[in-house]
């Protein structure tokens, strides 16, 4: 452990939009340093507890997904690996989920804006009520976490990359270790887009988007080329939802995206028919708690994609 590995704080104003290896670092740290990031939500504070669906239309898309940083890690060079140990998430207690026209797996079918607002206990982290329909177990993580690309210029924060970025991997929670390939001197690490809960696939395009503080430790593995992000979990990743089983709907066909859309459609149809939900509510609920999985990809010419909806949410 280095002598200067005290906790450093990266505050709310120390954020940026997009990836750019020419950005001035918000901090320079030695390998082994622990930092606390005060992350904004992906809407950059656009939504409040009094917001309505009309606010979706005024969401400033040039200011979405702010990420805190960048942090320059001394000694990091291309060909190294940045090791990120996710120590703690401290959620803020308010979140939002939206159907944004033109975005999401079923964008062509859900063309009108919709908004769900969430209030949860940030200390107990008890399951959060979704209207009168049920409660969603919470599992905080950062949707966007990465380092600067080696290519010059400003790169959009929306798509994921081999150096991380908008990965939206719901299992990157406290206790996990993420490894990212370094492409530029200092790595230039940033994090943001924090979520209180999300299903695998984030199918409507948003999770429970929620501002929170994140504590993590940055370390360096020298001269170890890595082709893409990888991570290690400290234990099971679905136990918070597994207890009561799942209702599962499948899409079968020769195209994985079509099969994924079919599996999601069938789940939404079931939620509307059996539980009286509006379609847009069912779509958002699937995004924050249901999981898309490839069940079969070898029996050509057709593949199977399944959507797992956890029964515990509706009980």
């Amino acid at each position: 452990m280095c002598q200067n590995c005290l906790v450093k704080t990266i505050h709310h104003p120390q954020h940026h939009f997009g990836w750019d290896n020419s950005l001035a670092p918000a901090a320079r740290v030695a390998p082994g340093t622990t930092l606390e990031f005060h992350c904004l939500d992906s809407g950059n504070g656009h939504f409040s507890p009094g917001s309505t669906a009309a606010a979706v239309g005024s969401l400033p898309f040039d200011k979405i997904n702010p990420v805190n940083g960048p942090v320059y890690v001394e000694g990091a060079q291309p060909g190294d690996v940045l090791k990120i140990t996710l120590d703690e998430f401290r959620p803020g207690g308010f979140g939002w989920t939206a159907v944004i026209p033109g975005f999401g797996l079923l964008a062509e079918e859900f063309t009108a804006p919709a908004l769900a607002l969430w209030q949860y206990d940030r200390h107990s982290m008890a399951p959060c009520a979704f209207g009168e329909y049920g409660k969603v177990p919470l599992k905080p993580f950062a949707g966007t976490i990465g380092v600067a690309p080696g290519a010059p210029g400003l790169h959009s924060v929306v798509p994921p990359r081999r150096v991380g970025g908008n990965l939206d991997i719901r299992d990157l929670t406290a206790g996990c270790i993420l490894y990212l390939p370094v492409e530029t001197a200092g790595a230039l690490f940033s994090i943001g887009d924090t979520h209180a809960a999300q299903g695998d696939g984030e199918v409507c395009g948003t999770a429970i988007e929620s501002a929170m503080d994140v504590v993590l430790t940055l370390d360096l593995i020298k001269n170890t080329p890595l082709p893409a992000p990888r991570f290690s979990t400290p234990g099971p990743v679905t136990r918070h939802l597994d207890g009561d089983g799942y209702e599962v709907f499948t899409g079968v066909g020769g195209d994985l995206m079509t099969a994924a859309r079919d599996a999601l459609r069938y789940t939404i149809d079931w939620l509307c028919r059996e539980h009286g939900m509006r379609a847009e509510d069912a779509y958002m609920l699937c995004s924050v708690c249901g999981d898309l999985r490839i069940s079969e990809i070898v029996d050509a010419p057709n593949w199977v994609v399944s959507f797992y909806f956890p029964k515990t949410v509706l009980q």
Side-chain angles (χ1 to χ4, degrees):
M1 180 67 69
C2 68
Q3 294 180 346
N4 298 317
C5 298
L6 303 176
V7 174
K8 297 180 183 291
T9 302
I10 309 299
H11 298 280
H12 289 122
Q14 295 173 294
H15 65 265
H16 58 96
F17 303 96
W19 303 101
D20 189 335
N21 61 24
S22 69
L23 291 174
R28 299 176 76 101
V29 303
T33 299
T34 297
L35 302 103
E36 181 176 41
F37 293 80
H38 295 174
C39 297
L40 298 160
D41 66 80
S42 65
N44 199 19
H46 178 74
F47 298 102
S48 71
S51 294
T52 67
V56 176
S58 59
L59 185 65
F61 285 96
D62 61 336
K63 300 296 182 184
I64 61 169
N65 273 27
V67 286
N68 282 50
V71 174
Y72 187 105
V73 181
E74 301 286 357
Q77 293 292 335
D80 297 340
V81 171
L82 189 67
K83 176 184 177 183
I84 304 110
T85 302
L86 298 166
D87 298 310
E88 185 180 3
F89 290 87
R90 301 172 186 154
F94 167 74
W96 59 273
T97 305
V99 175
I100 301 171
F103 192 50
L105 186 59
L106 300 181
E108 293 183 358
E109 298 169 38
F110 289 85
T111 57
L115 181 68
L117 301 175
W118 308 79
Q119 299 281 355
Y120 58 89
D121 189 321
R122 63 190 182 92
H123 299 293
S124 71
M125 293 298 289
C128 185
F130 183 72
E132 73 274 23
Y133 301 118
K135 295 183 178 181
V136 174
L138 303 178
K139 187 176 181 180
F141 73 100
T144 303
I145 181 170
V147 297
L154 181 65
H155 303 269
S156 171
V157 76
V158 175
R161 305 174 185 280
R162 73 173 292 269
V163 288
N166 196 15
L167 297 173
D168 285 321
I169 298 175
R170 70 97 183 265
D171 295 326
L172 283 174
T173 54
C176 288
I177 300 173
L178 173 65
Y179 302 88
L180 296 175
V182 174
E183 286 191 355
T184 194
L188 297 178
F189 172 84
S190 300
I191 184 171
D193 180 29
T194 42
H195 298 166
Q198 181 204 291
D200 277 336
E202 197 187 21
V203 292
C204 87
T206 54
I208 299 182
E209 311 290 332
S210 184
M212 65 186 71
D213 298 342
V214 184
V215 179
L216 56 83
T217 302
L218 298 179
D219 218 329
L220 198 57
I221 302 173
K222 295 293 293 178
N223 302 315
T224 308
L226 184 69
R230 77 170 184 89
F231 64 98
S232 174
T233 75
V237 295
T238 58
R239 187 166 290 167
H240 69 301
L241 293 172
D242 274 344
D244 295 306
Y246 295 87
E247 297 290 349
V248 184
F249 300 82
T250 64
V252 181
D255 180 83
L256 284 175
M257 288 297 290
T258 299
R261 292 187 177 104
D262 286 345
L264 175 58
R265 285 190 193 100
Y266 303 152
T267 308
I268 291 171
D269 290 346
W270 174 78
L271 287 168
C272 293
R273 183 177 65 253
E274 299 296 328
H275 295 277
M277 291 187 194
R278 300 183 305 167
E280 58 266 35
D281 288 333
Y283 188 29
M284 289 188 287
L285 185 59
C286 285
S287 192
V288 302
C289 71
D291 295 331
L292 269 176
R293 301 180 186 174
I294 297 175
S295 296
E296 184 276 306
I297 200 170
V298 295
D299 297 328
N302 291 332
W303 331 121
V304 180
V305 178
S306 301
F307 193 88
Y308 285 66
F309 189 90
K311 294 180 182 179
T312 189
V313 169
L314 302 175
Q315 295 178 352

